[in-house]
């Protein structure tokens, strides 16, 4: 076997972030009676939120805003886009979203089967960009902890992928060497270029079958493809 340590990304690779966020927002739409505030369509609200959330995360990763600023703005901007402003914005909405979403358990197809198979042959590890509380809740509620020897959460390290320090930290914690390690993730920038820049192989998880740049050497469309190649 070429590798003995496999490092996985969590969000959008194992844990189906979009599906879990959508399920949470649909629940909150009902429990906060957003229809009565004039938000007629839950999908439009989800689109607005998704747009602002992505753009604020980009700013956060660039170091332009703090976690608190991100959390304060993402739903406020979505509500404002829908014509709901100021005191009409329901109180505690963001808090409940943050507490609820990580409890959702939608994973990509065959996640458990694939991880169960791989954990019998390799040491598995997680490297996730995100906040400690949410990442721990996702792992616990989705019963993922049993597959992983070590779990690295960027908030604990102080840098996000693609920074090489987080890969260095993860490999050191795992007792792994670069030549025997591979990273699997959905982000070309954070996971693939981050890993390759540090000097380890990387497999791009590409469920949407997007065109890939030339520097992406290995890719899969389904998690279970890993059973064939690893
Ligand atoms: Mg990801």
């Amino acid at each position: 076997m070429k590798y003995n340590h496999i490092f996985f990304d969590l969000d959008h690779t194992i844990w189906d972030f979009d599906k879990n966020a959508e399920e949470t927002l649909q629940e909150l739409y009902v429990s906060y009676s957003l229809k009565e505030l004039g938000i007629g369509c839950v999908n439009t609200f989800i689109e607005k939120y998704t747009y602002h959330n992505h753009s604020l995360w980009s700013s956060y990763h660039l170091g332009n805003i703090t976690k608190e600023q991100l959390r304060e703005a993402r739903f406020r901007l979505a509500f404002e886009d829908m014509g709901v402003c100021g005191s009409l914005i329901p109180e505690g909405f963001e808090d409940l979203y943050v507490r609820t979403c990580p409890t959702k358990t939608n994973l990509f197809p065959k996640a458990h089967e694939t991880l169960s198979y791989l954990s019998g042959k390799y040491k598995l590890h997680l490297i996730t960009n995100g906040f400690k509380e949410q990442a721990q809740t996702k792992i616990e509620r989705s019963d993922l902890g049993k597959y992983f020897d070590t779990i690295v959460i960027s908030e604990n390290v102080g840098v996000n992928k693609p920074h090489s320090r987080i890969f260095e930290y993860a490999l050191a914690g795992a007792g792994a060497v670069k030549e025997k390690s591979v990273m699997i993730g959905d982000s070309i920038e954070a996971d693939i270029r981050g890993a390759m820049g540090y000097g380890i192989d990387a497999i791009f998880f590409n469920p949407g079958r997007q065109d890939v740049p030339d520097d992406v050497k290995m890719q899969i469309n389904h998690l279970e493809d890993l059973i064939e190649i690893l």
Side-chain angles (χ1 to χ4, degrees):
M1 286 191 292
K2 189 173 176 197
Y3 306 113
N4 51 26
H5 291 271
I6 304 178
F7 295 82
F8 273 94
D9 169 51
L10 179 62
D11 290 342
H12 302 281
T13 296
I14 295 170
W15 197 76
D16 193 335
F17 192 100
D18 292 339
K19 203 185 238 182
N20 290 318
E22 192 175 323
E23 194 175 295
T24 307
L25 290 172
Q26 274 166 349
E27 283 175 17
L28 293 188
Y29 180 82
V30 174
S31 60
Y32 276 90
S33 308
L34 297 190
K35 199 168 195 163
E36 285 159 32
L37 286 177
I39 300 176
C41 173
V42 65
N43 291 328
T44 312
F45 179 68
I46 291 172
E47 273 169 35
K48 300 285 184 196
Y49 164 73
T50 304
Y51 168 78
H52 289 298
N53 189 42
H54 283 170
S55 119
L56 290 160
W57 267 102
S58 302
S59 302
Y60 172 80
H61 286 313
L62 291 169
N64 295 336
I65 58 169
T66 63
K67 175 186 177 180
E68 289 69 31
Q69 288 170 319
L70 178 150
R71 291 192 50 184
E72 182 281 320
R74 56 185 183 171
F75 281 108
R76 177 176 55 75
L77 294 171
F79 276 113
E80 286 172 1
D81 283 354
M82 303 297 287
V84 177
C85 299
S87 60
L88 287 175
I89 296 174
E91 212 168 302
F93 192 93
E94 213 274 344
D95 268 352
L96 191 57
Y97 172 80
V98 167
R99 277 188 282 124
T100 307
C101 191
T103 67
K104 299 291 175 193
T105 58
N106 295 293
L107 306 179
F108 280 90
K110 307 281 184 196
H112 281 293
E113 291 87 338
T114 305
L115 292 168
S116 173
Y117 165 83
L118 292 174
S119 63
K121 285 181 80 179
Y122 303 89
K123 298 279 187 202
L124 307 187
H125 313 274
L126 272 178
I127 310 178
T128 176
N129 279 355
F131 304 122
K132 195 171 46 182
E133 323 86 78
Q134 283 109 302
Q136 281 165 347
T137 304
K138 289 171 191 174
I139 292 161
E140 277 165 28
R141 293 296 187 102
S142 295
D143 195 22
L144 291 168
K146 61 191 177 190
Y147 303 118
F148 297 100
D149 266 39
T150 65
I151 293 169
V152 171
I153 302 167
S154 65
E155 189 181 36
N156 289 335
V157 184
V159 290
N160 284 302
K161 294 172 289 184
H163 200 295
S164 62
R165 186 150 28 105
I166 195 166
F167 293 98
E168 189 182 358
Y169 180 96
L171 265 72
V177 295
K178 288 181 182 181
E179 306 73 52
K180 293 274 196 180
S181 301
V182 61
M183 174 78 206
I184 297 162
D186 72 292
S187 166
I188 290 178
E189 205 49 49
D191 300 312
I192 307 308
R193 291 185 177 141
M196 293 193 310
Y198 176 62
I200 70 176
D201 285 350
I203 301 172
F204 178 46
F205 177 53
N206 186 11
R209 296 174 185 270
Q210 57 173 283
D211 290 337
V212 297
D214 289 343
D215 60 339
V216 174
K217 303 295 181 210
M218 294 188 277
Q219 64 166 314
I220 52 166
N221 301 124
H222 308 97
L223 286 176
E224 63 196 292
D225 298 344
L226 292 171
I227 295 175
E228 301 296 317
I229 63 173
L230 289 173

